Amino acid sequence: MTQKNFPQRQIRALYNERTLRVYQAYSHAIADSALTHQTFVSPPFKRERMTWIKPSFLWMMYRAGWGEKDDGQRRILAIDITHEGFAWALAHSCPSHPEPGMSADEWEELKRRSPVRIQWDPERDLHLNPLDYRAIQMGLSGEAVERYVGEWIRGIEDVTSEAHGIHGLVRENRLLEARSALPNEQPYPDIH
């Protein structure tokens, strides 16, 4: 399947029979703590804030500027979560913006009942330019954050050096090598 034939909205991820990989970028303090504990611990992680997870490696690179954007996003973490957790997040989500025709009261009620926000943003290429199809990101709050840090996470890995390596290949215009170094993200099936 060529990129131009991807559906407009499709979850693509690196996954196996047990877990699905998502990415987040954090400061050194939060990343070091997460790697030590293999989950996010408060402090320095703030459970009361919405935390955004992204299955797309290149969308994470766009958001974090390859880990060079600012001190709060220096470290790129790959977090392996359970399929059951990801399914729960999808089932308890709402869009990050109201649907056309939705009243303000309806929108507030939907947000109140939904601890997860879904946002579809343009997927990115190796130069971080937008593509014509979209990648999902999920904002976790309240109960979703508690489940994420307490139940879903099966492993956390620092992939900052890999991100910097791929970025170096892109800067040197070694695009075939850069592309082959990317995670092998595949369409995510409805496996449950």
Side-chain angles (χ1 to χ4, degrees), residues 1 18 28-29 45 59 61-62 79 84 101 104 128 171 179:
M1 179 184 282
R18 291 182 53 246
H28 291 298
F45 182 78
W59 207 94
M61 296 308 101
Y62 166 72
I79 301 103
E84 293 79 12
L128 306 184
R171 283 194 300 240
R179 193 167 290 111

Side-chain angles (χ1 to χ4, degrees), residues 122-133:
E123 181 60 279
R124 300 292 163 157
D125 66 14
L126 282 168
H127 296 288
L128 306 184
N129 296 315
L131 295 171
D132 60 358
Y133 58 96

Side-chain angles (χ1 to χ4, degrees), residues 29-44 149 153 155-156:
I30 294 174
D32 287 340
S33 172
L35 290 163
T36 297
H37 299 285
Q38 286 296 293
T39 192
F40 294 97
V41 176
S42 296
V149 302
I153 295 175
I156 300 178

Side-chain angles (χ1 to χ4, degrees), residues 1 6 10-15 20 55 183-189:
M1 179 184 282
F6 285 165
Q10 180 183 61
I11 298 171
R12 298 181 59 78
L14 180 66
Y15 60 91
L20 169 136
N184 186 21
E185 295 169 359
Q186 297 294 318
Y188 186 67

